[in-house]
Amino acid sequence: MHFEVLVEDKSGSITINFLMEKILGPNHSNHSWRIHSYNGIGHLPKNLHRLPNPSKQLLLHQLPYVLRGYGRSLSSSSAAVVVVVDLDNKDCMSFKQELLGVLNGCDPRPRTLFRIAIEESEAWLLGDRSAVKQAYSNAKDSVLDGYSQDSICGTWEVLADAVNTGGATALKRLGYPDAGTAKCKWAQDIAPHIDVGGNRSKSFQVFRRGLKNLAGIS
């Protein structure tokens, strides 16, 4: 099975690449994938059939156009699209229905799996505390102890407070692109150590299960 994976940012794409290899095996072995990262999540356009603005490289803005293209170009029997987005502060069920609405507007429809990280992709990193500690032996236990898995709490800030000198406050003071660079480093450092079978994030477990089902892995 081949997967075209759409992810809203660079740090998420780094995490997803490591996790897919852990779930599916090496890329271009039994399965293959390409990961496309965007410059943020953005918003779905009001007119789903209008050509997107090419200067807006935001996942949701581009999504209707991209899915229609995959519907025409991908064989549904041997390829699938995987869309991974952060929930942020949205209602999960309503958001999922919006995404399905975009897919249902495609003719033909590509085989597509939508998966939502709750609240943010950093929740999947925090889902394996051992992986965090292997990457950052000085990670603050007091911060990790206070995190409620997959809660709406400012997830990346929790991870920053646990592993970053000066915590989230220091990164927010620096602003972009320093915060994005830090998120990429956390993904690069932590994701290789994640135990995909023992990760406590329920939103990650749903992602893993959906990916394995598409790949025909029991």
Side-chain angles (χ1 to χ4, degrees):
M1 175 70 73
H2 175 72
F3 299 93
E4 292 286 327
V5 188
L6 312 181
V7 186
E8 66 181 74
D9 58 23
K10 181 63 176 177
S11 62
S13 72
I14 293 170
T15 298
I16 294 295
N17 191 55
F18 280 113
L19 296 178
M20 290 192 69
E21 183 162 344
K22 287 173 175 286
I23 296 167
L24 301 177
N27 199 357
H28 300 290
S29 180
N30 293 324
H31 305 281
S32 63
W33 60 88
R34 290 194 305 173
I35 299 179
H36 308 270
S37 64
Y38 289 78
N39 295 331
I41 188 168
H43 301 280
L44 289 172
K46 292 181 180 179
N47 184 344
L48 299 181
H49 294 279
R50 177 179 293 176
L51 289 177
N53 184 337
S55 68
K56 292 185 177 180
Q57 289 300 307
L58 303 169
L59 194 156
L60 294 184
H61 178 76
Q62 297 283 337
L63 186 63
Y65 176 77
V66 171
L67 286 183
R68 289 197 301 272
Y70 282 136
R72 293 187 294 269
S73 64
L74 292 182
S75 167
S76 61
S77 62
S78 60
V81 182
V82 179
V83 181
V84 182
V85 289
D86 292 352
L87 180 65
D88 297 320
N89 60 356
K90 303 177 187 70
D91 176 78
C92 189
M93 293 302 296
S94 297
F95 187 32
K96 184 70 172 291
Q97 288 305 309
E98 288 184 64
L99 296 174
L100 290 173
V102 174
L103 179 62
N104 290 334
C106 299
D107 184 19
R109 289 186 297 176
R111 192 176 186 183
T112 302
L113 179 71
F114 294 110
R115 284 298 179 258
I116 301 172
I118 302 176
E119 165 193 33
E120 297 165 333
S121 61
E122 284 77 22
W124 294 4
L125 302 177
L126 287 165
D128 189 336
R129 181 166 175 165
S130 175
V132 175
K133 295 292 284 188
Q134 286 182 71
Y136 298 97
S137 59
N138 294 326
K140 297 178 181 177
D141 290 321
S142 59
V143 175
L144 298 175
D145 289 341
Y147 173 61
S148 178
Q149 188 64 55
D150 286 25
S151 60
I152 309 299
C153 62
T155 308
W156 80 263
E157 289 95 334
V158 172
L159 186 55
D161 287 341
V163 305
N164 191 74
T165 301
T169 300
L171 281 176
K172 288 179 177 179
R173 188 180 301 118
L174 291 171
Y176 182 83
D178 294 79
T181 300
K183 291 180 182 182
C184 288
K185 187 176 188 308
W186 304 335
Q188 189 73 43
D189 291 346
I190 298 171
H193 301 294
I194 287 178
D195 173 11
V196 295
N199 193 293
R200 296 182 299 112
S201 168
K202 290 185 178 180
S203 62
F204 169 72
Q205 293 167 15
V206 172
F207 167 78
R208 182 190 64 212
R209 184 164 58 247
L211 200 63
K212 291 176 71 173
N213 286 342
L214 283 174
I217 302 172
S218 59

